[in-house]
Amino acid sequence: LENPSMQALELLIAARANVNQAGNDGKTPLAIALENPSMQGHFCLAMSDPRGDQGQYKGPADVTGKAHGVGRFVYDSDSQVFVGRFASGDMIEGVCYHGEEPDSSMSGRQWTSQIRAELVQRYPFEDILGTWTYDGASYTISKQREGSIDFLEGSLRGTLRWQDGWFEGTLHLDSTGDENGTIRLRRQDAGSLVSNFRPASSYQWGHDTTAKGPPVFDSLAEFQTH
């Protein structure tokens, strides 16, 4: 369900059907969504990973109320969180984090022998997307359809990749394509990013710059409210 408006419509139709099927004693997740429009397409669902370990999924669901789309799975037994893509209640691909560090990755419903950097880039633990402000200026980090994470500040643009605990990318001038330098960023706390800039002519990183922006998606705290 790629089209958000179609997703909302199909969820609504399925929810109405589930209301009739559930009766007065029980309600399906979709029936609950019908009564709470703000929850449509976003659910907290109990499920297990391919090894049978239990946890709670949060994210979009399909018309049967199963995990479907990009979401998070928080394990019941420890501090691990799987961030990735789900389909019809199954994990398809993504990264399992312990704390904030990548612990393992999955591709094609199978755990990989090594952590795959492209999956860490595609499914980062830290939510760095949005517009961030600092010292009267701002930059925007967005995710493109193909999965790349883009940085834009004024006439400077670049693609960020996860590397050694930072999101890092080379910046180019929009007008000429000339390389301007390299930036690296990571979360400093729940509401800010810290970054360093290194000019193209230098080997040294500059001073720390702190930018304020949207709060981090704290899945553990969010699950406790449901």
Side-chain angles (χ1 to χ4, degrees):
L1 296 175
E2 298 289 339
N3 188 312
S5 61
M6 288 298 295
Q7 182 184 47
L9 177 60
E10 292 199 42
L11 284 171
L12 187 62
I13 295 171
R16 284 175 175 156
N18 277 281
V19 167
N20 295 331
Q21 294 170 5
N24 295 326
D25 296 330
K27 293 179 180 178
T28 65
L30 289 170
I32 295 172
L34 178 62
E35 298 174 355
N36 300 275
S38 63
M39 291 178 60
Q40 288 182 12
H42 296 84
F43 301 90
C44 287
L45 306 171
M47 61 174 286
S48 58
D49 75 356
R51 294 178 292 217
D53 294 328
Q54 301 292 314
Q56 294 286 323
Y57 163 83
K58 178 142 188 192
D62 63 13
V63 295
T64 66
K66 294 181 179 179
H68 194 89
V70 176
R72 292 188 174 210
F73 176 79
V74 181
Y75 285 86
D76 292 339
S77 57
D78 52 32
S79 59
Q80 286 188 315
V81 178
F82 177 87
V83 183
R85 184 166 61 87
F86 298 74
S88 301
D90 295 332
M91 292 177 173
I92 304 301
E93 66 174 16
V95 180
C96 192
Y97 294 87
H98 191 276
E100 297 186 10
E101 294 299 318
D103 183 68
S104 56
S105 61
M106 174 182 287
S107 179
R109 291 184 167 88
Q110 300 292 325
W111 297 108
T112 60
S113 58
Q114 295 182 332
I115 299 171
R116 291 175 52 176
E118 71 272 18
L119 291 174
V120 176
Q121 176 190 348
R122 193 176 304 156
Y123 304 107
F125 178 85
E126 298 177 307
D127 184 3
I128 66 168
L129 305 182
T131 298
W132 303 82
T133 59
Y134 70 96
D135 300 334
S138 67
Y139 54 80
T140 299
I141 301 174
S142 59
K143 191 170 186 178
Q144 305 306 305
R145 290 179 67 101
E146 69 274 12
S148 66
I149 299 176
D150 287 1
F151 175 97
L152 177 64
E153 181 176 1
S155 61
L156 296 176
R157 182 186 299 272
T159 298
L160 302 177
R161 294 178 174 83
W162 181 261
Q163 181 175 321
D164 299 328
W166 296 81
F167 287 95
E168 185 175 318
T170 302
L171 302 182
H172 297 85
L173 289 170
D174 262 345
S175 57
T176 63
D178 292 342
E179 181 179 339
N180 181 263
T182 304
I183 193 166
R184 64 179 185 180
L185 313 96
R186 67 181 178 188
R187 277 279 182 180
Q188 179 168 268
D189 53 41
S192 62
L193 289 183
V194 62
S195 65
N196 305 113
F197 180 74
R198 183 177 65 204
S201 59
S202 175
Y203 295 100
Q204 299 293 324
W205 289 106
H207 62 82
D208 288 354
T209 298
T210 300
K212 299 294 184 180
V216 68
F217 173 60
D218 188 345
S219 52
L220 286 174
E222 288 187 11
F223 276 118
Q224 291 170 355
T225 65
H226 289 273

